[in-house]
Amino acid sequence: MWTADEIARLCYEHYGSRLPKQGKPEPNREWTLLAAVVKIQPTADQACDRPDRPVQVTKEVVSMGTGTKCIGQSKMRKSGDILNDSHAEVIARRSFQRYLLHQLHLAATLKEESIFVPGTQRGLWKLRPDLLFVFFSSHTPCGDASIIPMLEFEDQPCCPVSRDWANNPSVEASGNLEAPEDKRKCEDSDSPVTKKMRLEPRTPDGMAHHQSFGNQESGPNSPDVSSSNLTAEELATVTGMAPSGAKVVDVYRTGAKCVPGEAGDSGKPGAAYHRVGLLRVKPGRGDRTCSMSCSDKLARWNVLGCQGALLMHFLEEPIYLSAVVIGKCPYSQEAMQRALIGRCQNVSALPEGFGVQEVKLQQSDLLFEQSRCAVQAKKVENQGRLVPCGAAIGWSAVPEQPLDVTANGFPQGTTKKGIGRLQARSRISKVELFRSFQKLLSSISEDKWPDSLRVQKLVTYHEYKEAASTYQQAWSALRKQAFGSWIRNPPDYQQFK
């Protein structure tokens, strides 16, 4: 039907041919991360009389995102006109919501063929049964899925962490990359990446800059491969993910920090540095963020769907991802399974149509050409330090203005004076997606509105979201049973109209 490499290749080709130079990394100096949603459907001329024949499908990228940044709490706005989180996965998902809104508009106005067909209840639609969506990311999602065991025969990109560091917050990383530099490393021991890693001290969470540890003057020592200082429980969390007989000596680190209310990382040297299975927030540049890690968000979408609360008003059932494909990078099937599915597998009593999905998890062997690893491998000595690209690109399969290039949460080029104006809004910001939702609503006669929108007069973004009762019931059940420490923005950040 399709392979992980086919999905990756399609996304890389789309990135190269359909996305503009604007917003892409500067050659040999910057890198970025890529994510996309791919629509899969059987070709129209499938022969029904040949059940033994492999199903032929067409694959189409319907949304794409690049980006590595998110804004700090102090920069959030109550007007909904800034992107809080510009990580590639989040940009791709918000661009996907824009695509879904357009497809609902086509279905409701009967103008063109849509991915939706009428549901059984008034005003509701459902996805055509022959369609499915695959999520692609060029890298492992930040947070829990990135806590991957490192075996003794692998190169060790993390230097050991002393207990002194845990008590010395002054060396906390101040970048806002969701991804540690370390987990992106190519695994060729002779690569310039690995050579450079041997020379540079690492921050404990592996963030992408080089600070020394207190009085440490020499380069990093090899991580302590002794397991004697770990409890049986700590060892079990990581050795359970290792191939039989292989010795786990460390873990790839994530820059995402445990949320308040969670147990927190142990900070111990080696394999027990992180605790697994916890909710995490993306790090900020000195200013803490309220953005949950991409692992947490993907796990949430795997229960609630990718459509969000607003679109649920028009849908009979959530829009789920059938598979998640990851590009070439450090990867653990067990860590992905735990982070995206395992943490929620016992959630029950969800409203009809909602459920924890057994999403298919696969990895491609194809490397993204503008990933940190690929750019580093091609970089000439003395060209300066690599930095993450500051811009994010969103692309949706919609006819009007499919592109959205942003920096710091606003359209690229926005000045301080311009903030607050209509042209200073990303097309996938909360307020603009809400405006598209309202436009969809106004194109449908009131007698064809779904019941959830007819019960009461709704005005604000918050009111419309809360009125999506089945979605809110499912979200409440998920929080109570699995994600109780999830950081939620106060309601006053959703009162815009």
Side-chain angles (χ1 to χ4, degrees):
M1 197 161 145
W2 55 266
T3 66
D5 281 356
E6 286 172 353
I7 296 294
R9 189 176 292 110
L10 178 71
C11 293
Y12 296 158
E13 286 171 357
H14 189 96
Y15 173 85
S17 63
R18 302 294 291 275
L19 268 56
K21 191 176 177 184
Q22 183 195 6
K24 286 183 177 176
E26 190 181 311
N28 302 316
R29 201 184 80 83
E30 294 181 328
W31 56 275
T32 195
L33 307 171
L34 177 72
V37 177
V38 178
K39 181 181 73 171
I40 309 278
Q41 66 182 116
T43 52
D45 58 348
Q46 287 294 300
C48 299
D49 56 342
R50 292 287 305 277
D52 56 325
R53 232 176 99 192
V55 178
Q56 299 298 305
V57 297
T58 57
K59 301 178 288 292
E60 179 194 356
V61 175
V62 294
S63 78
M64 183 165 275
T66 72
T68 64
K69 306 280 187 178
C70 54
I71 63 166
Q73 192 172 0
S74 67
K75 291 187 173 65
M76 289 169 61
R77 289 167 59 83
K78 295 180 180 179
S79 47
D81 60 355
I82 190 170
L83 293 175
N84 296 336
D85 188 341
S86 292
H87 285 203
E89 296 96 323
V90 176
I91 297 290
R93 185 256 186 164
R94 297 188 76 81
S95 299
F96 182 52
Q97 289 176 315
R98 191 175 173 216
Y99 164 77
L100 293 176
L101 275 162
H102 172 66
Q103 291 293 322
L104 279 168
H105 183 78
L106 292 181
T109 55
L110 304 172
K111 283 182 178 173
E112 293 175 42
E113 191 181 351
S114 166
I115 63 170
F116 294 108
V117 293
T120 55
Q121 298 173 55
R122 177 178 57 188
L124 296 186
W125 302 85
K126 60 184 181 182
L127 194 64
R128 275 172 41 189
D130 60 335
L131 297 183
L132 57 89
F133 294 105
V134 173
F135 193 85
F136 173 76
S137 177
S138 63
H139 57 291
T140 309
C142 65
D144 198 49
S146 287
I147 302 172
I148 299 170
M150 192 184 293
L151 309 180
E152 63 183 336
F153 53 79
E154 293 181 322
D155 291 317
Q156 312 296 335
C158 298
C159 74
V161 180
S162 68
R163 286 196 176 276
D164 295 342
W165 176 82
N167 302 315
N168 183 8
S170 64
V171 295
E172 181 173 349
S174 62
N176 65 352
L177 307 185
E178 98 288 21
E181 180 176 24
D182 306 319
K183 76 173 185 183
R184 308 278 183 248
K185 294 297 182 254
C186 296
E187 296 180 18
D188 172 10
S189 60
D190 292 317
S191 75
V193 185
T194 311
K195 287 175 182 171
K196 191 167 186 181
M197 284 171 357
R198 293 191 187 116
L199 300 174
E200 291 176 340
R202 315 294 316 159
T203 48
D205 59 357
M207 297 302 291
H209 51 274
H210 314 298
Q211 294 175 332
S212 61
F213 299 100
N215 298 324
Q216 181 179 326
E217 291 176 4
S218 61
N221 304 313
S222 298
D224 178 10
V225 296
S226 166
S227 306
S228 59
N229 62 333
L230 308 185
T231 66
E233 183 185 2
E234 287 164 346
L235 266 176
T237 62
V238 285
T239 54
M241 296 189 289
S244 178
K247 188 172 184 180
V248 175
V249 294
D250 207 339
V251 286
Y252 285 93
R253 310 279 161 83
T254 178
K257 312 296 182 190
C258 299
V259 300
E262 291 280 21
D265 288 320
S266 72
K268 289 181 179 179
Y273 176 78
H274 282 307
R275 284 195 175 93
V276 297
L278 304 182
L279 290 173
R280 295 174 180 272
V281 288
K282 292 162 183 169
R285 200 176 279 278
D287 183 11
R288 281 195 174 272
T289 80
C290 292
S291 298
M292 301 300 292
S293 76
C294 289
S295 292
D296 299 336
K297 289 186 176 184
L298 277 158
R300 175 180 169 172
W301 304 340
N302 197 45
V303 180
L304 304 184
C306 285
Q307 75 293 321
L310 282 185
L311 271 73
M312 205 62 220
H313 281 292
F314 288 105
L315 298 173
E316 204 155 77
E317 49 198 34
I319 307 291
Y320 288 116
L321 299 168
S322 295
V324 174
V325 174
I326 303 296
K328 187 174 182 179
C329 65
Y331 177 89
S332 161
Q333 187 74 11
E334 291 78 10
M336 285 285 290
Q337 178 78 22
R338 175 194 70 228
L340 272 56
I341 304 167
R343 294 187 291 171
C344 304
Q345 66 187 3
N346 296 322
V347 173
S348 59
L350 292 164
E352 189 179 351
F354 289 86
V356 182
Q357 306 300 298
E358 277 297 324
V359 63
K360 195 172 168 184
L361 304 172
Q362 293 192 1
Q363 187 183 26
S364 164
D365 201 37
L366 302 179
L367 184 67
F368 177 44
E369 66 177 5
Q370 295 198 305
S371 67
R372 181 183 192 97
C373 184
V375 176
Q376 180 79 64
K378 288 186 287 189
K379 187 169 167 282
V380 179
E381 284 294 320
N382 306 319
Q383 255 185 350
R385 189 163 64 86
L386 282 186
V387 294
C389 181
I393 308 173
W395 180 92
S396 302
V398 297
E400 292 178 26
Q401 299 178 308
L403 276 165
D404 188 68
V405 183
T406 55
N408 302 312
F410 293 111
Q412 198 172 42
T414 301
T415 61
K416 279 189 178 180
K417 198 179 282 186
I419 292 173
R421 294 176 184 169
L422 285 176
Q423 60 267 39
R425 292 177 178 178
S426 161
R427 294 183 184 100
I428 53 173
S429 62
K430 287 188 183 78
V431 69
E432 281 298 296
L433 288 178
F434 184 39
R435 195 172 70 87
S436 297
F437 171 83
Q438 290 171 313
K439 194 175 171 185
L440 168 63
L441 201 54
S442 65
S443 71
I444 304 168
S445 60
E446 221 168 302
D447 60 315
K448 292 182 180 174
W449 283 8
D451 291 343
S452 61
L453 294 172
R454 297 156 62 90
V455 178
Q456 54 184 315
K457 176 75 173 164
L458 304 170
V459 179
T460 66
Y461 177 74
H462 182 258
E463 287 171 0
Y464 273 98
K465 284 187 71 168
E466 289 299 308
S469 55
T470 55
Y471 181 91
Q472 295 301 343
Q473 287 163 26
W475 181 209
S476 177
L478 178 58
R479 288 198 312 276
K480 282 177 185 168
Q481 296 176 58
F483 287 163
S485 301
W486 191 282
I487 294 177
R488 301 179 74 196
N489 295 332
D492 57 341
Y493 281 91
Q494 300 184 351
Q495 296 304 328
F496 50 89
K497 300 172 183 178

